[in-house]
Amino acid sequence: MSTHASKISMEKIVSLAKRRGFIFPGSEIYGGLSGTWDYGPLGVELKNNIKREFWRTLVYQRDDTVGLDAAVLMNPRVWEASGHTEAFADPLIECKVCHERIRADNQEDKESHEKTHRTRKETPAWTEPRQFNLLMAAELGSVEGKKSSVYLRGEITQGVHVNFKNVLDAAWMKIPFGIVQIGKAFRNEITPGNFTFRSREFEQMELQYYVRPHEAESMRWFLYWKEERMAWYKRLGIRGANLRFREHAPDERAHYARAAWDIEYNSPFGGWKECEGIHHRGEWDLSRHKEFSGVDLSYFDEEAKERFIPWVIETSGGVDRALLFFLIDAYREEPDKDGVRTLLKIHPQLAPYKVAVFPLLANKPDLVDRARKIYTILKSSLVAAWDDIGNIGKRYRRQDEIGTPFCITVDFETLEDGTVTVRDRDTMRQERVNEKELIEHLSDKIKTGS
Ligand code: GAP
């Protein structure tokens, strides 16, 4: 709890996110809708960049994985097979004083709720824990009386498993292989909160990796993916001290899970919180879908002349949670000559804008024209911002706060020799670069994150 992240106030993050257009409360002008969030002009860029990096690492840079984009709505039998209609329920307790319901296992919420009542001189008391289904129901069909109930998917996972055979037949994959998916999931969370951390509509990014049903081999893959996923967060800039692995306690683990670990982040709201889960799901998924659908989901290994139901190693992360933790981890306040500068020290690959272009003076047409030309050329390769308002110092501050790694100033020297000033967000160092070399110069730095 002594690391940097735990000291940052969430008010500052929430306020920056709103003010600069990263994250807005959902349906705000109607008083909001609990557990929903809208991503603004910069938020959608950051979110897309996170998803692109996930896809690049898990699909494009490998030969043993492919992508998929399954429907949100699925045949309700899917959720019976997966166990969600039965088991996707949180034990809840209800406050006998105000009837608010909270998770029975959330000691923190329980204590803070009891404190509120005590300060009002009321005596808190709870009901026994009861089950509550987290699946969100929807009605399909437009004719009254002929509607059928379906669920919005509670996890993106099942869309992958029900397509196991389709992918196998279409893409000719050989075990071990994985299917990657990113998409929305919905849960009737009892206590959404901590900004986007627990929402009712959120996005997941997952890999379902199918392996041979062999104990030692499957565990090797489990350990491999556990390390890979941790390395991904670190490579994209989250400080190692703010990340850790945590093994699920036996009573937390699904009954079919052979191993379950979380990657946790040291958050400013109550310390270590789950960011991503890595689970060894054994044969549960495919054997259940085989049983409930009646379709044979076994795999025939040509080399070993062996038929089996593959085991599944899953990595399941939240896009919104990753985004929140990337934001928190990147947020810095540093003393400088004008007081304090706020900056988002976010990895250039994730930064919404890669570069901002400024004409030194907004009232000199020669400078503005030349800067516009450079800006237009840069925009064909990199996501770029334009700013000609206020002095250069103020423009730097505005870009620092949203994480733009490089700012380019076009000045009178540019008109003479074609060089511009490139200023680095983190070091604030400036160098002269020829305008013709800018794209190559910046692209290298963005790729390596330096
Ligand atoms: N397929 C496995 C699965 O869905 P999970 O631990 O329930 O496992 C995986 O969810 C990830 O999805 C979590 O680690 C978290 O990052 C994200 N997630 C789950 N519930 C969420 C919520 N209510 N709001 C935001 N993200 C959530």
Side-chain angles (χ1 to χ4, degrees), residues 58-194:
L58 276 93
V59 182
Y60 297 153
Q61 292 182 341
R62 305 186 63 95
D63 293 329
D64 58 350
T65 54
V66 285
L68 182 88
D69 184 17
V72 166
L73 303 176
M74 304 184 78
N75 187 308
R77 290 273 288 160
V78 167
W79 305 108
E80 286 171 41
S82 68
H84 280 80
T85 36
E86 240 175 78
F88 203 46
D90 270 351
L92 292 186
I93 48 175
E94 188 174 304
C95 171
K96 287 185 177 167
V97 184
C98 68
H99 302 288
E100 187 175 324
R101 291 172 185 171
I102 65 164
R103 285 168 182 243
D105 61 359
N106 193 332
Q107 204 54 31
E108 210 182 304
D109 271 11
K110 198 170 162 211
E111 280 164 19
S112 100
H113 192 92
E114 288 175 0
K115 201 167 142 203
T116 312
H117 282 304
R118 271 193 227 100
T119 53
R120 293 192 208 135
K121 309 240 174 318
E122 294 160 347
T123 312
W126 300 98
T127 61
E128 286 301 305
R130 272 185 305 180
Q131 298 298 109
F132 180 93
N133 200 302
L134 292 182
L135 281 178
M136 211 178 266
E139 286 195 333
L140 210 60
S142 52
V143 181
E144 275 310 324
K146 287 198 174 164
K147 291 181 180 172
S148 61
S149 280
V150 290
Y151 295 110
L152 303 183
R153 62 183 174 193
E155 62 172 12
I156 62 171
T157 323
Q158 301 311 322
V160 170
H161 295 313
V162 302
N163 279 295
F164 171 74
K165 204 171 168 329
N166 282 336
V167 173
L168 205 57
D169 293 346
W172 297 42
M173 302 305 286
K174 281 210 172 77
I175 276 185
F177 79 93
I179 303 178
V180 176
Q181 186 175 213
I182 301 177
K184 291 263 186 174
F186 303 81
R187 291 182 192 176
N188 261 325
E189 293 286 0
I190 320 311
T191 46
N194 289 324

Side-chain angles (χ1 to χ4, degrees), residues 218-226 259 261 278 280 313:
S218 66
M219 273 317 284
R220 269 202 301 280
W221 279 113
F222 175 78
L223 295 174
Y224 168 83
W225 283 113
K226 194 170 145 241
W261 288 71
I278 299 103
H280 186 323
I313 308 297

